Amino acid sequence: MQDLNFLVVGTNTEILNTLHRVIQQNYSWKASICNKINDFYDVIHQQTFDVVLLSCGIPNLEEQAIQEYTAVHFPNTKTIMHFGGGSGLLKNEVFYAFNQEIK
């Protein structure tokens, strides 16, 4: 799997910290955390992200707005909704988004 730079967005700091740790343990993946939804629009412009990972605590309308904004302004960035379930599920979600098989 290629090197990936993640922007993890959510409101539960404990879960975000866990996702940060799990992401950084995989391959050459790196993660940045955004725990305030309004900050997302500034943070996403600060560096190039391959993945916007949506975690828990984001209201449905905000989730949709983030997905649409990312698709319009950063069409090469994948948006993945992460539903929890451990590192195996996260890997599967990422590999699926990039149309690759887990090795």
Side-chain angles (χ1 to χ4, degrees):
M1 181 89 213
Q2 66 196 44
D3 296 351
L4 295 175
N5 192 20
F6 289 72
L7 176 56
V8 184
V9 184
T11 60
N12 184 311
T13 302
E14 186 175 328
I15 291 173
L16 293 176
N17 289 336
T18 299
L19 285 169
H20 182 267
R21 180 179 43 78
V22 168
I23 289 167
Q24 303 252 133
Q25 291 175 348
N26 286 290
Y27 309 99
S28 298
W29 296 357
K30 302 291 179 217
S32 298
I33 301 297
C34 181
N35 64 357
K36 294 188 172 96
I37 306 307
N38 291 336
D39 291 347
F40 164 80
Y41 299 96
D42 291 328
V43 173
I44 195 163
H45 287 276
Q46 293 176 2
Q47 58 182 297
T48 301
F49 293 100
D50 303 296
V51 176
V52 171
L53 186 69
L54 300 176
S55 183
C56 65
I58 306 171
N60 289 340
L61 289 176
E62 291 294 331
E63 262 184 9
Q64 184 177 3
I66 289 170
Q67 289 173 321
E68 290 173 4
Y69 187 86
T70 303
V72 169
H73 297 283
F74 302 93
N76 294 325
T77 301
K78 308 277 187 193
T79 302
I80 299 172
M81 295 180 66
H82 180 61
F83 297 103
S87 61
L89 178 60
L90 176 62
K91 284 182 190 178
N92 279 313
E93 291 168 338
V94 173
F95 278 77
Y96 179 79
F98 285 90
N99 296 314
Q100 294 190 356
E101 291 183 33
I102 291 185
K103 298 177 174 138

